[in-house]
Amino acid sequence: MKFQATSRSEQGTSASRRLRRAGRVPAIVYGGQADALNIELDHNEIFHALRKEGFHSSILDMQLEGKSQSVLLRAVQWHPFKPQVLHVDFQRVAADQVITTKVPLHFINGEISPAVKLASNLISHVLTELEVSCLPADLPSSIEVDLANLEGGTSLHFADITLPEGVTFVPHGGELNPVLAAAMAKPAEKEEEETPADGEGEAS
């Protein structure tokens, strides 16, 4: 995915405010052999790009001063209540250097699983992404989780899926086999409490 960037020389809070008023977004790109570089982005372009899942988990093609650089989105700062991007961080990536990032999980076939078709369970997606390590060329835009064989009342763990070739799972907190999805019985519907008819139960 490609986006346009421009170098910026002015820094500081006041300069950032001026940029935002002009429809621009202050950003930074760091990593690799070069120094960190302050850049600016077009707000509309980056706003719409950030709404695409792939922009968060793909190697991006940053066009800066006529040159292409491979980068990875690392952080986004949003306005607390306005639909406005305040700042973006990117990291340079090199083809021969391993990167670590989060990749979204795509759950499929839940509607045809025994958990849903036979047990009428609800399927909860316990995790929505996994942190992985790989070379940039091996980075998947998403990881598919097939729920077709999920039985009622059971869970699907990390060990039940296969990662793409060259991709390694990065566990957290010693959890080597986390639960990805779980099938659970639907909560029982509460029966409406019966209310006595008018006059019923009243003392005569």
Side-chain angles (χ1 to χ4, degrees), residues 182-198:
M184 301 174 290
K186 295 179 181 179
E189 295 183 4
K190 292 184 179 180
E191 295 184 4
E192 293 184 9
E193 294 184 5
E194 294 185 5
T195 57
D198 291 345

Side-chain angles (χ1 to χ4, degrees), residues 18 52-53 96 98 108 110 135 141 156-157 167 170 175 179-180 184 186 192 200:
R18 287 194 295 271
K52 300 174 182 177
E53 182 183 70
D96 59 349
V98 171
I108 63 170
L135 289 172
S141 59
L156 186 141
H157 291 73
V167 178
V170 179
E175 183 58 74
V179 175
L180 306 184
M184 301 174 290
K186 295 179 181 179
E192 293 184 9
E200 185 178 333

Side-chain angles (χ1 to χ4, degrees), residues 135-148:
L135 289 172
D138 295 328
L139 180 64
S141 59
S142 63
I143 295 171
E144 196 169 90
V145 180
D146 192 346
L147 302 173

Side-chain angles (χ1 to χ4, degrees), residues 8-128:
R8 63 182 171 100
S9 56
E10 293 187 350
Q11 300 179 44
T13 304
S14 297
S16 294
R17 283 202 199 100
R18 287 194 295 271
L19 277 177
R20 294 180 186 120
R21 283 197 297 267
R24 308 289 290 174
V25 179
I28 189 170
V29 57
Y30 58 84
Q33 302 300 317
D35 295 334
L37 178 64
N38 292 300
I39 58 175
E40 60 181 84
L41 314 167
D42 177 77
H43 184 272
N44 285 341
E45 180 186 11
I46 197 67
F47 178 84
H48 290 292
L50 288 168
R51 299 180 68 180
K52 300 174 182 177
E53 182 183 70
F55 197 80
H56 295 257
S57 57
S58 302
I59 302 301
L60 306 173
D61 179 7
M62 181 177 72
Q63 297 293 311
L64 179 65
E65 298 173 351
K67 296 181 180 179
S68 176
Q69 295 187 36
S70 295
V71 300
L72 196 62
L73 177 67
R74 280 309 190 189
V76 182
Q77 181 184 353
W78 292 87
H79 192 281
F81 55 86
K82 294 180 182 178
Q84 181 183 10
V85 185
L86 298 180
H87 195 275
V88 187
D89 291 7
F90 297 99
Q91 179 186 353
R92 298 183 187 95
V93 297
D96 59 349
Q97 293 182 353
V98 171
I99 57 173
T100 299
T101 190
K102 292 180 179 179
V103 174
L105 299 177
H106 281 185
F107 295 89
I108 63 170
N109 295 328
E111 70 281 358
I112 66 170
S113 67
V116 172
K117 300 260 314 182
L118 301 180
S120 297
N121 278 188
L122 295 175
I123 297 179
S124 171
H125 299 164
V126 179
L127 293 182
T128 58

